[in-house]
Amino acid sequence: MSSVDAVTLQNIISPIDGSTLATRQLADDSQIEIVLERASHAKSEWQNTTIAERIRLCELMVNYLEANSNDIGLEITQQMGRPIRYTPNEILRGVQERARHMMSIAQRELRDIDVPHVDGFTKFIRRNPVGTVLVVAPWNYPYLTAINSIVPALLAGNTVILKHASQTLLCAERLFVAFAAAGLPTDVFQFVHATHGAVAKMISDSRINFVVFTGSVDGGRQIERAAAGRFIGVGTELGGKDPSYVRADADLAYSIAENVDGVFFNSGQSCCAIERIYVHTDVYDEFVDGFVTATQSYVLGNPLEPNTTIGPMVNSAAASFVRKQIADAIAQGAQALVSEDYFAASRKSTPYLGPTVLVDVNHSMSVMRDESFGPVVGIMRVASDNEAISLMNDSPYGLTASVWTCDESAAIEIGSQIETGTIYMNRCDYVDPMLVWTGVKDTGRGIALSHLGFDPYTRLKSYHLKN
C-alpha cells in the first residue's frame, strides 16, 4: 500500500482551527487479515485465563488512563473540540466508574448458573465467550462509549478489535498503549484504522462473532446489512431526540440549571443530551426566563482556553446542519430567545456555533423531530401530563427521557407511558453503570453495563451430567 495514495490516508482535522492534527494510514485487506488471524489465535489462551486475572489486567489499564488523564484530555479536546476544563473527567469520572463497576460484578455475573438439584444428576449452565468482538466507536465520547463494550467483552473472555471514528483515531491508539502497559496478552486487544467498506468486510468474516456499533441510524442499518445471514449478535445505539418534561411542581431553579447543562454540555453532542423540552404552562414563563439567562452565561471559544465552557462542534458540516434546522424553524414561526449572534466567538461556516434557545416551536419542525446533535433546543408549553407524554412519544427515537417533579409516584407513572430506554427523575444526560443502557425504536437494540452487560458477549452452554 503506497503511503502517498490519498485513498489510504485519513487526516484528523481539529475543529479548533481546521488544522491537520494527525494523519494515519488506513489498513488494507492484508493488514486486516493479520488482525483477524491474530485475534482468532489469541482467543484460546484468553478464554482460559481466570476471571480474576482478567479483572487485574483491566484494572491496570484503567490505572494507566487515570495516570495520563491530563494528556488524554488534551488529545480529546484537540480531536473533537470539548473544552479542556472537562475532558480529563471523561477518564477520571466516567471511564473509571463504568469499568470498575463491571469489574466489581464480573466474578458473580460470569459464574456458572445453578439449577435445582436432581438426585443422580449434575446440571448447570455455563457462560462461554462468543469469540472476537468488533467494537465500532464514535467520536463524541470516545473513551466512554468504547469502554462500555471493551471492558465487559474482555472480562467475559473475548478478544476485541476496536475501530474508532475517523475523528478520534488517536483514542484507539491510546487504549492500545494502555492495555499494553497493563500487560494484556498480545493480540487480545487490537485496533484498526479502516474504511466503512473494510469494516463491512470484517463483519462478514467468520472470525468476527459479535459487533457493537454506536452512531447514526443509517450507520446501524449498514452494520446490520453486513451481518445479515451470519447469525451473530449486533448491538446498536443509534442516538436520540431525548425529551424533558418540567412539571408544575418542579424545583425550578434546580430544573433550569440541570436542563441547560443537559442541553449544551459537549455542545449538545451526546446521544442522551436533552434536545426538546416541554414545560407545564403554570411555570413556563419563569422557566424560559431562567433558561435564557443561564444560557447567556456560556463562554464560547477556543476549547484549549481554561475559561471556555462551550467549544466548537466537531466540524463545519455538523454545525451547518444545526444552523439549517434553526433557520428552518424560524422561517416556520419559531422565535430565537438566544441565538448564536449573542456569542462573539460564533462564526458562520465554522464549527463555532453558540447555544440557541427556540420557543414557539412545534413538531412540524425538524428541530423538534430530527436529531440535532448540537447546541440548540426547542421549548414548548404543555397543559397537562398527558399532553407532555404524547409529545415525548412523538419521535422515532427512544434513548432517555427526564421528568422534573417533586412527586416520585408521578414520575414513575409518567415514565411507564414513555417509550424510552431510561427514564430519569430530576436528572439527565448520565449513564449509571448499575443500570442497563439500552433504547427502543430507531435508537437500536443494544445492551450495555449493569449485571446484564455481559450477556451480549457470552453464549450459554448447558451441562446435563448423569451420575
Side-chain angles (χ1 to χ4, degrees):
M1 181 168 59
S2 170
S3 62
V4 298
D5 184 354
V7 175
T8 67
L9 298 179
Q10 179 66 57
N11 292 327
I12 302 175
I13 306 299
S14 175
I16 297 173
D17 56 9
S19 64
T20 299
L21 180 64
T23 300
R24 292 293 184 267
Q25 189 171 335
L26 301 181
D28 62 13
D29 288 348
S30 63
Q31 291 167 325
I32 291 175
E33 170 62 25
I34 291 170
V35 170
L36 290 169
E37 195 61 19
R38 286 177 174 172
S40 182
H41 285 158
K43 283 192 300 186
S44 178
E45 178 184 354
W46 186 241
Q47 289 174 5
N48 291 322
T49 302
T50 65
I51 296 175
E53 177 65 3
R54 297 175 203 160
I55 294 170
R56 185 185 74 85
L57 293 171
C58 286
E59 174 65 30
L60 290 174
M61 180 275 297
V62 174
N63 290 345
Y64 170 91
L65 294 179
E66 288 179 315
N68 292 276
S69 59
N70 286 334
D71 290 341
I72 293 170
L74 175 60
E75 292 171 359
I76 295 172
T77 297
Q78 291 171 327
Q79 290 175 92
M80 55 75 62
R82 190 186 317 144
I84 191 68
R85 65 190 292 160
Y86 305 125
T87 45
N89 287 333
E90 182 162 343
I91 303 299
L92 296 175
R93 294 181 184 175
V95 165
Q96 68 84 19
E97 180 185 36
R98 298 182 194 185
R100 289 200 171 105
H101 176 72
M102 298 308 290
M103 287 187 276
S104 73
I105 65 174
Q107 291 275 18
R108 181 183 75 235
E109 298 303 329
L110 293 170
R111 67 188 177 189
D112 292 344
I113 302 169
D114 294 328
V115 299
H117 176 72
V118 177
D119 289 342
F121 292 89
T122 298
K123 301 178 183 181
F124 61 92
I125 302 167
R126 178 159 293 171
R127 301 178 188 273
N128 290 326
V130 295
T132 295
V133 175
L134 174 63
V135 177
V136 184
W139 53 264
N140 61 319
Y141 284 93
Y143 288 91
L144 286 177
T145 51
I147 285 296
N148 285 354
S149 306
I150 292 171
V151 167
L154 289 174
L155 291 173
N158 301 282
T159 56
V160 173
I161 300 170
L162 171 63
K163 188 277 174 187
H164 224 299
S166 59
Q167 190 69 36
T168 43
L169 299 180
L170 302 185
C171 299
E173 297 174 8
R174 177 69 77 162
L175 282 166
F176 181 81
V177 171
F179 278 115
L184 192 74
T186 304
D187 301 330
V188 170
F189 174 83
Q190 300 178 82
F191 70 90
V192 292
H193 301 326
T195 65
H196 295 316
V199 170
K201 289 182 68 174
M202 290 177 69
I203 295 170
S204 67
D205 191 288
S206 62
R207 289 165 291 187
I208 294 295
N209 308 110
F210 192 88
V211 182
V212 184
F213 173 77
T214 305
S216 68
V217 173
D218 286 344
R221 291 191 178 106
Q222 292 176 36
I223 294 291
E224 291 203 342
R225 281 195 292 268
R230 290 222 40 233
F231 309 114
I232 62 172
V234 176
T236 51
E237 191 218 297
L238 309 176
K241 190 70 181 174
D242 291 9
S244 167
Y245 171 39
V246 181
R247 298 182 81 231
D249 67 338
D251 179 330
L252 271 190
Y254 173 80
S255 301
I256 289 166
E258 292 296 301
N259 273 260
V260 169
D261 185 67
V263 170
F264 296 123
F265 189 80
N266 203 36
S267 296
Q269 297 169 132
S270 170
C271 294
C272 57
I274 293 174
E275 293 210 0
R276 48 199 175 105
I277 302 175
Y278 307 97
V279 184
H280 194 277
T281 186
D282 291 351
V283 293
Y284 177 86
D285 291 334
E286 186 178 352
F287 178 89
V288 169
D289 288 345
F291 197 97
V292 166
T293 300
T295 301
Q296 290 171 335
S297 71
Y298 275 91
V299 178
L300 174 70
N302 186 326
L304 295 173
E305 296 177 358
N307 65 323
T308 295
T309 57
I310 187 167
M313 292 185 65
V314 67
N315 55 46
S316 295
S320 293
F321 176 82
V322 177
R323 286 187 172 105
K324 185 176 187 307
Q325 278 192 322
I326 294 167
D328 289 349
I330 291 173
Q332 295 177 63
Q335 178 185 359
L337 299 183
V338 182
S339 72
E340 69 167 308
D341 294 337
Y342 180 85
F343 301 90
S346 279
R347 296 287 186 272
K348 304 291 186 181
S349 303
T350 77
Y352 286 86
L353 171 60
T356 298
V357 179
L358 298 172
V359 294
D360 299 331
V361 291
N362 60 65
H363 278 219
S364 70
M365 300 172 182
S366 171
V367 76
M368 297 298 287
R369 187 181 64 252
D370 303 318
E371 187 173 31
S372 300
F373 220 64
V376 61
V377 69
I379 306 177
M380 286 183 66
R381 185 193 302 267
V382 295
S384 66
D385 290 349
N386 286 338
E387 183 181 5
I389 291 166
S390 177
L391 289 167
M392 293 169 88
N393 284 335
D394 184 23
S395 170
Y397 297 104
L399 184 57
T400 78
S402 56
V403 179
W404 305 82
T405 178
C406 293
D407 188 340
E408 183 175 295
S409 61
I412 294 172
E413 175 59 25
I414 292 167
S416 70
Q417 300 175 65
I418 298 174
E419 299 161 346
T420 189
T422 295
I423 184 74
Y424 298 108
M425 171 181 160
N426 299 334
R427 196 167 198 182
C428 62
D429 195 23
Y430 172 72
V431 180
D432 188 330
M434 290 188 288
L435 298 174
V436 66
W437 189 245
T438 188
V440 299
K441 301 191 282 191
D442 282 359
T443 289
R445 55 179 182 177
I447 291 176
L449 303 175
S450 82
H451 69 282
L452 302 171
F454 296 107
D455 290 356
Y457 311 111
T458 58
R459 293 291 297 271
L460 301 177
K461 178 183 285 188
S462 293
Y463 285 75
H464 188 144
L465 313 175
K466 184 175 182 180
N467 298 327

